[in-house]
Amino acid sequence: MEYYVKSVIPIIESNYENLTTVEKSIADFFIKNQEKSDFSSRSISERLFVSEASLSRFAQKCGYRGYREFIYQYEETFVEKNQPITGHTRMALNAYQELLNRTYSLINEPQIIRICRYLKRAGRVFVCGLGSSGLAAREMEMRFMRIGINIYSIQDSNLMRMRAVFQNETSVIVGISISGGGKDMLYLLRESHKSGAKTILITARNRGDHEEFCDELLLVPALRYLENGNVISPQFPVLVMLDVLYAYYVEQDKSRKEIWRGDTLKALKVEKRQLK
């Protein structure tokens, strides 16, 4: 049984800030629409009081060749939701399921493989974030350190700026920010990119200017677009994406990495026995 369906909605959401006012009105329609209807360019242009050229530009900004390609995928994946959500448990589980569907829609396998290649070749990896993103950065450090990556997490703004001085072409810098902001983290990414380091930003917002200093923009779903997004931890979409990245990385030279992971567990057990 197929549980996940490719959807254009997360793609619209991640590019929303790059749209003009007219294009945002088009985006709002497709994000909120829950009824099957005539989605032809002529019908939608009349319904939204926009030109067919605006529909085409909107589709292109979302990464499609034109409106026809965009609407083909929109119609292909359109699911009508007739049953209301009842009960707190069902509400939370449905929100998580929707978030997983949107994560699946944003997964770019060639990009994941490239990032795994960067991590494998890196002399040092620094992953940084503040608040809940800082917790996700710490989690990434703990997991990837155990499979042989020389990785450090940074949750302090001053350290981010100081670390920017020492990066070079052997470094990989991973920034985590759902909003795509954080001047100190962006400073680290920008300065490290100038020094030749590989830079990766995990975010829910494609601001356009990120590509100037980020080798990879790893998009995650934005909680603010979910009907019940306020019940979900802001770390969750990032952790799901990190799990995907971890799974791909472990698959490369899997036996060796499983040995390393096992050795770290043994090391922890030895320490606990010594403390006793």
Side-chain angles (χ1 to χ4, degrees):
M1 181 180 294
E2 183 66 48
Y3 291 98
Y4 304 113
V5 179
K6 283 284 187 181
S7 169
V8 303
I9 302 302
I11 298 173
I12 298 174
E13 293 168 352
S14 64
N15 290 284
Y16 192 85
E17 300 302 324
N18 300 328
L19 305 178
T20 64
T21 302
V22 172
E23 291 161 354
K24 284 181 178 178
S25 69
I26 298 171
D28 291 338
F29 168 77
F30 285 112
I31 290 172
K32 297 176 183 178
N33 176 59
Q34 296 186 9
E35 297 181 356
K36 292 183 178 180
S37 62
D38 180 4
F39 296 116
S40 66
S41 58
R42 180 176 180 180
S43 174
I44 296 300
S45 65
E46 292 176 354
R47 182 172 181 173
L48 302 182
F49 303 101
V50 299
S51 67
E52 292 186 34
S54 295
L55 293 175
S56 179
R57 286 192 293 270
F58 157 76
Q60 289 170 358
K61 284 190 178 180
C62 291
Y64 297 90
R65 286 174 292 184
Y67 181 76
R68 181 176 296 181
E69 183 183 33
F70 164 81
I71 209 62
Y72 174 81
Q73 187 168 343
Y74 185 79
E75 290 179 322
E76 188 74 13
T77 62
F78 191 81
V79 178
E80 190 170 1
K81 301 176 181 178
N82 294 318
Q83 296 184 352
I85 297 175
T86 58
H88 297 300
T89 300
R90 184 174 180 179
M91 177 183 69
L93 292 178
N94 283 354
Y96 274 107
Q97 184 62 60
E98 177 67 15
L99 189 57
L100 289 172
N101 286 338
R102 295 185 181 203
T103 299
Y104 174 73
S105 299
L106 289 171
I107 292 292
N108 181 332
E109 289 190 341
Q111 181 186 44
I112 296 294
I113 292 171
R114 285 196 305 272
I115 293 174
C116 287
R117 192 179 301 123
Y118 299 156
L119 296 175
K120 183 177 181 180
R121 296 174 179 173
R124 295 180 305 175
V125 177
F126 291 96
V127 53
C128 56
L130 298 175
S132 63
S133 295
L135 296 176
R138 176 64 173 166
E139 174 68 13
M140 183 177 179
E141 176 192 24
M142 294 299 295
R143 296 194 68 190
F144 282 80
M145 174 271 294
R146 295 176 61 188
I147 53 175
I149 293 181
N150 187 20
I151 183 171
Y152 306 90
S153 63
I154 309 173
Q155 294 96 40
D156 181 84
S157 296
N158 291 331
L159 284 177
M160 291 179 193
R161 287 187 169 269
M162 288 189 285
R163 281 293 185 184
V165 177
F166 303 105
Q167 306 311 317
N168 55 44
E169 64 277 0
T170 68
S171 305
V172 171
I173 310 299
V174 181
I176 302 176
S177 172
I178 297 296
S179 67
K183 60 181 181 179
D184 299 304
M185 185 199 66
L186 295 179
Y187 177 85
L188 173 58
L189 289 170
R190 187 177 291 106
E191 295 303 309
S192 299
H193 187 266
K194 291 178 183 177
S195 300
K198 291 295 184 182
T199 51
I200 302 161
L201 176 61
I202 302 175
T203 183
R205 182 180 297 177
N206 181 358
R207 301 197 321 185
D209 61 332
H210 288 145
E211 295 180 358
E212 297 175 6
F213 53 89
C214 293
D215 294 291
E216 301 290 346
L217 198 62
L218 191 56
L219 295 173
V220 297
L223 297 180
R224 64 191 174 119
Y225 293 106
L226 288 176
E227 182 179 354
N228 297 297
N230 61 327
V231 306
I232 296 178
S233 166
Q235 300 175 55
F236 183 75
V238 175
L239 294 176
V240 171
M241 190 62 73
L242 291 180
D243 284 342
V244 172
L245 189 60
Y246 182 88
Y248 273 83
Y249 188 81
V250 168
E251 195 59 33
Q252 303 173 6
D253 197 6
K254 186 175 182 179
S255 59
R256 185 180 182 187
K257 288 165 186 170
E258 287 180 343
I259 291 173
W260 282 337
R261 186 177 182 277
D263 288 344
T264 61
L265 287 174
K266 291 178 184 177
L268 291 173
K269 291 178 181 177
V270 169
E271 182 180 0
K272 288 179 180 179
R273 284 199 299 267
Q274 290 174 344
L275 289 174
K276 291 180 180 178

